[in-house]
Amino acid sequence: MENIQTPEYAIETKNLFIFYGSFPAVSEVNMRIEKQKVTAIIGPSGCGKSTLLRAFNRMNDFVPSSYVTGEILLQGQNLYGKDIDPVEVRRKIGMVFQKPNPFPKSIYENISWGAKINGFKGNMDELVEQSLRGAALWEEVKDKLKKSAYELSGGQQQRLCIARTIAIQPEIILMDEPASALDPISTLRIEELMQELKQNYTIIIVTHNMQQAARVSDYTAMMMLEKDGSRSGTVIEFSETKKIFTNPKDKRTEDYVTGRFG
Amino acid sequence: MNPNRDHYPKGEALHRSLSRRYRSASIWQTLFFSALVIAILSLAALLYNVVDGAFGYVAFEYKNDPSEFTSKALDDLNKQELLDILTTNLSSGAFKKLDNEKAMEKRSKSDLYTLVLERLIQIDTKQTWSMTDSIFRSSEIKAEVAKKYPDAKLEFRSWLTPVFLTTPMSSKAEFAGVRTAILGSLWMVGIAILFALPIGTGAAIYLQEYASKNFLNRVIQTNINNLAGVPSIVYGMLGLAIFVRALEPFTSGSMFGVTDSNGRTILSAGLTMGTLVLPLIIINAQEAIKAVPDSLRQAAFGVGATRWQTVWHHVLPNALPGILTGSILAVSRAIGETAPLIVVGASTFISLDPEGPFSKFTALPIQIYQWTTRAQSEFHSIAASAIIVLLILLLSLNATAVLLRNRVQRKY
Ligand SMILES: Nc1ncnc2c1ncn2[C@@H]1O[C@H](COP(=O)(O)OP(=O)(O)OP(=O)(O)O)[C@@H](O)[C@H]1O
Ligand SMILES: [Mg+2]
């Protein structure tokens, strides 16, 4: 009965709790995230969205006090299983951060470094070009690949970070408020990009922007602090984005997405 | 309306309170400015004091008249004539000894000239004057010399000359130089850096990137911070016990077939200095590593890097300028240290250049200390010159550190 293959889901969580020390920042999350779809996680500040997202590629391991109970299954395998190497997990599940954080190296090296350390054997020039095209950045930077990534604008840097993630060919891309530091036009470009990326990747995005969630995502997870006053966050509703925004089941979801929250 | 607004001063009261605040601000500003002035004045006094000793009038006599050895003027002699004078007038034992140190034929003309002055004619310095005296009391000094030492020559001399830098130690101040001491100091600092930089950086990487925040690691961290403040003489004792005595086969080189030395070598001194600066280097390197932002580490981990790949490719390269700057500053502390060298056993009188890590050694601060304890005033003059040399060495080290820091400005 164990380890039944559930290929239709990219990630499945079972009774997931995430703790910082004795504080359960996220409790009892059961969700199935579809492959090659954009899933948005929304909810008020401090409800554990980033914590949940970081658990998906074990970035929480770097917080010494944090630990997880329950399961996060990737193709039937528990990401927190004993024989799972977190480095391998992070290669399969890439991450784009809130603030663009390119390496202080050339644009080219920003892409090639991840590939190199993961043992990529193919044609590096091609990989760099494909990744940059994939992130809709190629036309803007093709003549200055040797220039420092820090010479790019914030929006370009964020697309470079996406290109860097694509280059290691993950199955899933996690994005934690990827456009919150960008202007509306750059934000729009990132949103368009997500629509293209979901043809090949599963995307999970945390956002505070309701319109953005409505525009880009196929599914939406609504997170809230538990009603019992424990300050612990959980997913109170998870379904198709359309439903969340037009016909939510939970009153709190309705209040939140219509801006009556608080 | 908000009632709290009434609790703030208004009108006349506001004016009074404002001018009170300005008054106290200007008092503090004056205090800080005077502190700065005091600091600058004491620095200036220090510099003046050193420079004052290194230049000035000197009255000296020739013990033996040059005409006893040659009919020509000393300055007109060529190399062969100088050599002849030395051959005929030096005792054969003394000549052989010099020849053994360095073959006489191979010595330069100025070397031989110095030897003639030093060994045969023999300068007898009667008195020296400070730079201030020499400038403002020039005529009195001249009169005084004419009366007290009728045969003496009076000369305004800079004790700090190129020759001073390039000649080895001598028992006569007029012929002494700091070459051996400079080389000794450089060797020592080089060994100290080679020893302390890799170890210090390694320890800092471990503490910042690997060590968890448990009790043991906190104890280690606290101890490193405390070690940085331990008086240098304690490190001297440590060096004596460990490097000079316990590790003698290694530090004397007998392990490698060197036979003519004991543990009191440049290597021991360098390792002692390395230990002395190690805590400073660790702390500085930790600061440099801390300054590398976490977002960079996350970026590396996010593309599937291991911790070591993250450290090696991103943390270390970005921390390196800071680590080097910190290490240079730490080492410039070592270059002026005297106490540990005395304990470890610096030689006060060496005229041979250090040939390698297993040579006996002297260093600039040792030389300075030794010269200042001599009674004759000419030794105080060369001590002042040696202090200038040491200060210039220190300044250029610090300037290198600053340049390094400015050149490689942070990119993130
Ligand atoms: N490194 C950490 N150590 C301890 N507690 C943490 C840590 N990071 C987050 N928390 C706590 O976990 C809870 C959830 O934080 P999280 O950052 O996941 O919220 P969020 O939903 O992403 O908020 P925001 O929308 O403001 O980004 C908060 O109560 C926070 O204080
Ligand atoms: Mg967050």
Side-chain angles (χ1 to χ4, degrees):
Chain A
M1 275 305 289
E2 309 294 308
N3 283 357
I4 299 171
Q5 296 285 310
T6 49
E8 63 270 38
Y9 299 119
I11 281 186
E12 188 178 356
T13 70
K14 286 187 180 165
N15 202 19
L16 176 69
F17 284 74
I18 309 169
F19 292 85
Y20 291 114
S22 57
F23 165 57
V26 171
S27 50
E28 219 188 339
V29 173
N30 291 290
M31 60 197 291
R32 290 170 165 177
I33 291 170
E34 297 255 357
K35 276 193 169 169
Q36 293 178 19
K37 291 277 171 347
V38 176
T39 301
I41 302 176
I42 60 173
S45 196
C47 68
K49 305 179 296 294
S50 301
T51 302
L52 179 62
L53 196 71
R54 286 199 304 261
F56 288 153
N57 73 342
R58 298 198 56 171
M59 282 304 256
N60 272 338
D61 290 14
F62 297 111
V63 180
S65 66
S66 80
Y67 68 96
V68 161
T69 65
E71 288 182 325
I72 301 177
L73 299 172
L74 179 77
Q75 288 161 5
Q77 257 195 327
N78 184 6
L79 290 184
Y80 283 82
K82 275 208 186 63
D83 48 353
I84 299 290
D85 182 351
V87 170
E88 184 59 29
V89 171
R90 287 181 212 120
R91 206 197 73 75
K92 281 196 199 145
I93 306 179
M95 188 157 200
V96 176
F97 299 86
Q98 179 170 4
K99 210 171 134 247
N101 58 350
F103 300 124
K105 292 173 181 276
S106 73
I107 293 169
Y108 186 96
E109 287 169 303
N110 259 277
I111 313 276
S112 66
W113 189 76
K116 222 182 288 169
I117 58 155
N118 283 297
F120 178 73
K121 296 257 165 35
N123 184 328
M124 190 62 83
D125 290 352
E126 267 172 30
L127 179 74
V128 170
E129 178 172 345
Q130 282 165 6
S131 307
L132 286 170
R133 281 190 193 281
L137 190 60
W138 173 253
E139 292 303 325
E140 290 156 71
V141 302
K142 63 182 178 194
D143 299 324
K144 47 179 185 180
L145 293 176
K146 296 276 169 275
K147 289 266 175 64
S148 163
Y150 279 63
E151 289 175 22
L152 298 175
S153 74
Q156 289 173 324
Q157 287 187 9
Q158 194 62 301
R159 275 179 283 149
L160 180 65
C161 292
I162 293 174
R164 173 176 78 187
T165 307
I166 301 174
I168 58 167
Q169 295 294 313
E171 288 155 27
I172 303 169
I173 300 177
L174 310 174
M175 299 184 176
D176 193 349
E177 303 182 46
S180 68
L182 305 181
D183 69 287
I185 292 172
S186 304
T187 303
L188 205 64
R189 301 211 57 169
I190 302 265
E191 288 179 10
E192 286 166 6
L193 186 54
M194 276 188 259
Q195 294 309 313
E196 280 167 41
L197 289 174
K198 76 175 186 187
Q199 329 239 315
N200 295 308
Y201 306 92
T202 306
I203 294 174
I204 308 176
I205 172 179
V206 168
T207 180
H208 274 294
N209 183 330
M210 290 305 117
Q211 287 88 15
Q212 185 173 61
R215 277 194 302 264
V216 301
S217 68
D218 304 299
Y219 292 88
T220 297
M222 177 69 215
M223 289 188 77
M224 259 314 156
L225 293 181
E226 300 255 43
K227 273 179 289 192
D228 58 13
S230 64
R231 316 262 336 129
S232 166
T234 191
V235 174
I236 59 164
E237 189 167 359
F238 176 43
S239 65
E240 285 171 33
T241 300
K242 238 190 319 186
K243 255 187 160 164
I244 293 271
F245 280 89
T246 55
N247 188 19
K249 268 192 259 156
D250 198 299
K251 180 77 172 57
R252 290 171 291 168
T253 310
E254 187 182 343
D255 288 348
Y256 189 78
V257 298
T258 53
R260 280 196 302 261
F261 177 76
Chain B
M1 204 176 94
N2 193 336
N4 278 335
R5 193 167 277 179
D6 300 332
H7 296 299
Y8 287 102
K10 282 198 195 63
E12 189 50 33
L14 177 64
H15 269 297
R16 267 201 316 269
S17 115
L18 254 183
S19 66
R20 204 168 48 238
R21 275 148 69 192
Y22 280 127
R23 213 165 36 245
S24 84
S26 79
I27 291 173
W28 281 110
Q29 197 181 349
T30 318
L31 277 177
F32 293 146
F33 182 72
S34 352
L36 179 70
V37 168
I38 292 172
I40 290 178
L41 279 182
S42 43
L43 258 181
L46 173 95
L47 274 182
Y48 166 76
N49 194 20
V50 171
V51 171
D52 198 36
F55 305 92
Y57 274 124
V58 49
F60 63 95
E61 285 173 4
Y62 290 139
K63 263 198 188 140
N64 305 308
D65 200 301
S67 59
E68 291 172 31
F69 306 102
T70 171
S71 49
K72 287 197 197 173
L74 264 185
D75 293 328
D76 297 340
L77 296 173
N78 64 27
K79 193 179 155 187
Q80 190 54 43
E81 287 165 319
L82 287 166
L83 191 55
D84 289 342
I85 295 175
L86 285 167
T87 324
T88 40
N89 295 296
L90 276 176
S91 74
S92 65
F95 189 86
K96 252 211 199 95
K97 192 158 168 265
L98 285 170
D99 204 37
N100 275 341
E101 274 171 21
K102 189 177 178 188
M104 293 301 260
E105 288 83 33
K106 292 210 183 107
R107 297 190 182 220
S108 68
K109 186 184 158 205
S110 69
D111 258 9
L112 297 173
Y113 180 84
T114 312
L115 275 178
V116 170
L117 271 183
E118 186 180 353
R119 295 302 183 98
L120 301 175
I121 298 171
Q122 295 188 9
I123 288 180
D124 181 15
T125 301
K126 293 292 183 198
Q127 198 173 342
T128 64
W129 288 268
S130 70
M131 184 176 72
T132 322
D133 279 352
S134 307
I135 293 173
F136 295 108
R137 298 181 40 237
S138 163
S139 50
E140 289 168 52
I141 291 174
K142 277 177 186 149
E144 187 186 337
V145 169
K147 203 168 101 217
K148 264 163 80 180
Y149 319 107
D151 295 334
K153 299 181 189 21
L154 187 67
E155 183 181 286
F156 189 90
R157 184 182 293 173
S158 158
W159 292 89
L160 181 64
T161 60
V163 177
F164 181 72
L165 296 178
T166 52
T167 36
M169 180 64 172
S170 159
S171 55
K172 302 198 182 63
E174 299 81 359
F175 303 104
V178 284
R179 178 198 172 97
T180 330
I182 291 179
L183 289 174
S185 282
L186 291 180
W187 264 98
M188 207 182 61
V189 163
I191 291 172
I193 276 252
L194 281 181
F195 168 72
L197 186 58
I199 295 183
T201 310
I205 288 176
Y206 179 81
L207 284 171
Q208 282 312 120
E209 300 289 326
Y210 289 92
S212 53
K213 296 259 168 301
N214 60 22
F215 178 72
L216 179 71
N217 286 322
R218 269 207 297 273
V219 170
I220 292 176
Q221 181 72 61
T222 313
N223 274 313
I224 290 174
N225 297 346
N226 287 337
L227 277 177
V230 167
S232 60
I233 192 146
V234 177
Y235 283 96
M237 310 296 294
L238 182 87
L240 181 69
I242 293 181
F243 300 123
V244 176
R245 304 239 164 92
L247 296 179
E248 170 149 18
F250 171 66
T251 50
S252 70
S254 63
M255 224 159 106
F256 312 100
V258 180
T259 48
D260 59 343
S261 72
N262 55 22
R264 298 170 180 277
T265 54
I266 288 198
L267 184 59
S268 292
L271 292 176
T272 306
M273 284 303 182
T275 325
L276 174 86
V277 295
L278 192 56
L280 280 176
I281 291 189
I282 294 177
I283 291 169
N284 285 334
Q286 277 185 290
E287 289 305 320
I289 291 170
K290 250 187 240 170
V292 177
D294 258 344
S295 63
L296 199 57
R297 292 181 185 85
Q298 283 175 356
F301 287 129
V303 293
T306 61
R307 188 169 284 276
W308 172 243
Q309 285 168 327
T310 305
V311 168
W312 181 251
H313 290 276
H314 295 291
V315 177
L316 209 49
N318 286 296
L320 203 59
I323 294 177
L324 289 180
T325 308
S327 304
I328 293 177
L329 292 178
V331 155
S332 70
R333 176 183 169 200
I335 211 167
E337 280 294 349
T338 324
L341 293 182
I342 296 178
V343 178
V344 170
S347 315
T348 42
F349 192 94
I350 299 193
S351 55
L352 288 180
D353 289 354
E355 280 166 342
F358 306 120
S359 306
K360 286 192 287 183
F361 72 99
T362 186
L364 273 173
I366 295 286
Q367 210 61 263
I368 293 166
Y369 169 71
Q370 207 250 336
W371 283 336
T372 47
T373 53
R374 299 284 288 259
Q376 302 97 318
S377 62
E378 60 266 32
F379 280 102
H380 301 164
S381 299
I382 57 174
S385 312
I387 290 173
I388 294 180
V389 174
L390 181 62
L391 286 180
I392 289 173
L393 211 58
L394 270 174
L395 281 182
S396 30
L397 272 177
N398 290 357
T400 317
V402 172
L403 278 181
L404 204 65
R405 187 164 47 201
N406 292 348
R407 245 182 67 94
V408 199
Q409 75 268 60
R410 293 247 161 73
K411 283 172 283 187
Y412 32 80

